Structure formats: structure tokens, C-alpha cells
């Protein structure tokens, strides 16, 4: 979450006229994340999240994102529900942006995840994959392997001094290896694709909410796991915490068992997930938006994670027998 577009009082009042949730009591920007402009909205009927969708999010994808949230919540999963306007639609417009108002969920994200948090995350991720299995809409993963080389080429065009010839060669070799070995037929369905610690809430030692579905798509379930292993199981000094990984994977397979193929490809998928986030972070770092209330994240953190996964031969390195 972040704030790129300011919403005026007039625009906010006009938007709320389209809903039956009362008048605004307060509306405060949330300065986290990278994609959209988000506000904590307090009205006469309670608390909500107001999202203004920025240009990087395609308007034609919004029915998938909002419909998925509604579907998951209706299935009993811990997803916030989008609020219907008086015309029955989830999507409206404010400040010259597509806009939606989303249910507010209690709980908080954790700054430092414990192994127990990782176990709960694994269970929640498997529940999401299961609950999304009968969702009728689909969306291609626009940040899957086919997008990585164009991202890399775009980053090179900026000619940043940090991309030394040695580093460029390392990334090129890794991309080539991934392209030649990427799987084509693993169990797949709807995945979250961005389940970082700030996108899951905990309350009373349980998961109370999973938010921010704006990278959700159809792809390999194990790729979602690989994203989570990268996001949750490395410490601030860059070391890999095998205890957290074991808890995450065991939590997942307590709900949805792995196939042999998923396990065999997991190290490769972790390599791919780390390169994906290295390249998107690098692109954002080189193309910062003036005035945005958000700092770009360090891309080189994910290059170090990629280097770790290149040494992994079997899933035993992730805590599984």
C-alpha cells in the first residue's frame, strides 16, 4: 500500500455518495507498499480501506482482483470483502482514478516473523489455493518468467552504476538457466503472488486476514510457496532460517499435500521468485515516482537470496526430508 494520488474532500464526498456507509469522519493515507494509493477511511458506519488504482494496475484486471476477494471471503477464507456501491458494483471512480472501498480487518502484520507465524502462513496459503480452486475468472501472471528478460533489458537502458559488467553477466546467466529449465506442467490455480509479511494479519495467535490481491493470478501453486520462502525465511543479516522454512512448508502440506514434481522443482522456483523480485525492485528503484509517500525497496537483497538458492540441490535445504 502507498499514496501516489491525493483525494480531495470534494472527491471523497462524491465517492461516498455512491455508497451506503455514511459520511467520512477521517481519511488518512497509508504509506506502505508500491502499487496503489490507499487510505484508512473512517465513516459513520465503521472503518474501511479506500484504494485508488494507479496506472500500473490495468483497469481490465480489477474485476478479477475484486471478484477474487469476494469469492474467497464468501468461501470462509480470511479475505476482506469489497463493498458494493448503491448500483451493485464494486468499482467506482474518484480523483480521476478507478476506486474501490474494501472491508477493514482487525489484526496486525508482524515486523519479525517467528517460526509459528510461518506455520500459520503456510496453512493460510494452502487454504487460499483451495478456496480459489472454483473461482471462475482467470488472469495470466504478467510477472512470470516471460516478463523477466524485458524487465532486465529495461533496467540496463538506465545504465545504473550499480550494474557492473560482472553483475550483468551473473543476471544474464541466471535468466538463461531459468528460461531453459522452467517447468511447464505443475499443479496450478489462483495464487496470491505477493504474500509478504505486510499482507497478512494476525490476531490472538491466528491469521485474521490476508490482503492486497493486486498481483493475484493463475500460476503454479509451488511458485506462491517459493515467493513466501523468500519473503519470510531469510533473516535481516541475509541468512536462511531453515526452522521457519520447515514450519511454513509443513503448515502448507497439512492442508494441501505436495506432489513429487512440486518438491523437485521447488529450489528452481525459489531461484525464479528471487530474480522476479530483484528485477521488479530494481525497476522501481530506477523509476521512482516523485512525491510518493513510499521508499523503493532494496533490490540487491533479492539477488543475495538468488545466490543462496543456486546452491540448493534438494528440498532438504528447506527443512523437508
Amino acid at each position: 500500500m502507498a499514496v501516489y494520488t491525493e483525494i480531495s474532500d470534494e472527491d471523497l464526498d462524491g465517492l461516498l455518495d455512491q455508497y451506503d456507509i455514511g459520511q467520512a469522519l477521517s481519511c488518512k493515507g497509508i504509506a506502505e507498499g508500491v502499487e496503489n494509493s490507499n487510505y484508512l477511511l473512517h465513516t459513520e458506519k465503521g472503518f474501511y480501506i479506500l484504494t485508488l488504482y494507479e496506472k500500473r494496475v490495468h483497469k481490465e484486471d480489477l474485476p478479477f482482483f475484486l471478484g477474487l476477494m469476494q469469492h474467497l471471503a464468501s468461501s470462509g477464507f480470511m479475505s476482506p470483502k469489497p463493498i458494493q456501491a448503491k448500483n451493485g458494483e464494486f468499482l467506482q471512480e474518484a480523483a480521476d482514478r478507478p476506486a474501490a472501498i474494501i472491508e477493514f480487518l482487525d489484526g496486525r502484520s508482524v515486523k519479525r516473523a517467528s517460526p509459528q507465524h510461518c506455520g500459520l502462513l503456510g496453512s493460510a496459503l494452502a487454504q487460499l489455493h483451495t478456496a480459489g480452486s472454483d473461482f471462475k475468472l482467470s488472469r495470466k501472471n504478467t510477472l512470470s518468467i516471460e516478463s523477466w528478460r524485458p524487465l532486465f533489458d529495461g533496467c540496463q537502458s538506465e545504465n545504473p552504476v550499480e550494474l557492473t559488467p560482472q553483475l550483468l553477466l551473473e543476471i544474464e546467466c541466471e535468466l538463461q538457466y531459468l528460461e531453459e529449465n522452467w517447468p511447464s506442467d505443475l499443479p496450478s490455480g489462483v495464487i496470491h503472488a505477493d504474500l509478504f509479511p505486510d499482507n497478512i494479519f494476525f490476531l490472538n495467535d491466528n491469521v485474521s486476514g490476508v490482503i492486497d490481491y493486486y498481483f493475484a493470478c493463475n500460476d503454479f501453486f509451488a511458485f506462491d510457496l517459493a515467493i513466501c520462502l523468500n519473503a519470510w525465511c531469510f533473516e535481516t543479516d541475509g541468512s536462511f532460517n531453515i526452522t521457519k522454512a520447515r514450519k511454513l512448508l509443513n503448515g502448507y502440506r497439512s492442508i494441501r499435500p505436495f506432489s513429487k514434481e512440486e518438491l523437485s522443482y521447488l529450489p528452481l522456483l525459489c531461484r525464479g521468485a528471487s530474480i522476479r523480485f530483484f528485477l521488479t525492485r530494481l525497476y522501481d528503484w530506477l523509476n521512482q515516482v516523485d512525491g510518493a509517500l513510499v521508499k523503493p525497496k532494496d533490490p540487491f537483497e533479492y539477488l543475495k537470496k538468488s545466490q543462496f538458492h543456486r546452491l540448493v540441490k534438494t528440498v532438504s535445504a528447506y527443512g523437508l526430508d
Side-chain angles (χ1 to χ4, degrees):
M1 296 181 174
V3 175
Y4 300 101
T5 299
E6 297 287 346
I7 185 167
S8 67
D9 291 341
E10 292 77 14
D11 284 338
L12 180 60
D13 290 341
L15 176 65
L16 291 178
D17 284 343
Q18 309 303 312
Y19 291 84
D20 187 24
I21 59 173
Q23 296 300 305
L25 302 179
S26 67
C27 188
K28 300 178 181 179
I30 301 172
E32 295 177 1
V34 297
E35 285 300 306
N36 302 305
S37 295
N38 292 275
Y39 294 85
L40 175 59
L41 173 65
H42 184 197
T43 78
E44 294 168 324
K45 291 194 176 180
F47 288 90
Y48 306 88
I49 299 296
L50 164 62
T51 297
L52 305 179
Y53 297 100
E54 300 297 338
K55 294 178 181 179
R56 187 166 168 177
V57 175
H58 299 295
K59 187 174 181 178
E60 58 268 24
D61 287 332
L62 293 175
F64 176 88
F65 299 142
L66 296 171
L68 177 60
M69 282 189 270
Q70 176 67 26
H71 176 83
L72 292 173
S74 297
S75 301
F77 185 71
M78 306 79 69
S79 169
K81 295 179 181 178
I83 305 301
Q84 283 186 317
K86 294 174 183 177
N87 64 2
E89 300 294 329
F90 295 133
L91 193 62
Q92 301 297 316
E93 186 171 301
D96 296 321
R97 294 284 188 269
I101 296 176
I102 311 295
E103 177 186 22
F104 179 84
L105 296 180
D106 290 325
R108 63 184 179 90
S109 57
V110 293
K111 299 297 183 184
R112 184 175 177 84
S114 68
Q116 284 141 326
H117 289 127
C118 291
L120 292 169
L121 160 71
S123 299
L125 185 65
Q127 291 172 42
L128 189 158
H129 291 167
T130 302
S133 62
D134 58 348
F135 183 53
K136 302 302 182 184
L137 300 181
S138 64
R139 176 180 178 267
K140 181 181 178 181
N141 186 357
T142 57
L143 288 171
S144 190
I145 189 167
E146 296 86 0
S147 73
W148 300 342
R149 188 168 292 279
L151 272 171
F152 181 45
D153 293 342
C155 291
Q156 290 183 79
S157 68
E158 298 292 335
N159 195 28
V161 294
E162 292 82 358
L163 294 182
T164 64
Q166 181 180 0
L167 183 55
L168 290 171
L169 179 60
E170 177 185 349
I171 301 167
E172 171 61 38
C173 290
E174 181 64 1
L175 280 175
Q176 182 175 345
Y177 180 85
L178 292 169
E179 289 165 348
E180 291 173 352
N181 293 279
W182 200 250
S184 60
D185 188 23
L186 292 178
S188 62
V190 174
I191 69 170
H192 187 282
D194 194 41
L195 197 43
F196 278 64
D198 55 351
N199 286 334
I200 184 168
F201 296 157
F202 297 92
L203 184 66
N204 299 326
D205 298 322
N206 288 297
V207 173
S208 62
V210 174
I211 65 168
D212 204 352
Y213 292 86
Y214 303 114
F215 288 101
C217 57
N218 292 76
D219 207 331
F220 304 139
F221 294 134
F223 187 57
D224 225 5
L225 273 168
I227 290 170
C228 289
L229 283 166
N230 277 304
W232 289 75
C233 300
F234 285 86
E235 301 299 331
T236 53
D237 64 359
S239 63
F240 184 74
N241 189 319
I242 193 172
T243 303
K244 290 182 178 180
R246 182 184 299 112
K247 284 282 192 180
L248 194 163
L249 294 173
N250 282 334
Y252 185 93
R253 68 179 177 182
S254 70
I255 304 295
R256 180 189 168 270
F258 305 118
S259 69
K260 291 181 179 179
E261 292 76 17
E262 286 176 302
L263 288 177
S264 66
Y265 274 107
L266 189 58
L268 180 72
L269 295 171
C270 285
R271 288 171 69 166
S274 57
I275 285 295
R276 174 265 193 251
F277 282 95
F278 166 71
L279 290 172
T280 51
R281 284 187 175 193
L282 181 63
Y283 183 87
D284 289 341
W285 185 49
L286 296 172
N287 297 274
Q288 298 181 38
V289 177
D290 291 338
L293 301 179
V294 60
K295 295 181 179 179
K297 297 176 181 178
D298 177 17
F300 294 98
E301 169 192 347
Y302 267 81
L303 189 60
K304 294 174 183 175
K305 294 177 181 181
S306 169
Q307 292 163 349
F308 168 83
H309 294 302
R310 291 175 219 168
L311 300 176
V312 171
K313 303 302 180 185
T314 71
V315 292
S316 62
Y318 303 135
L320 294 183
D321 297 328

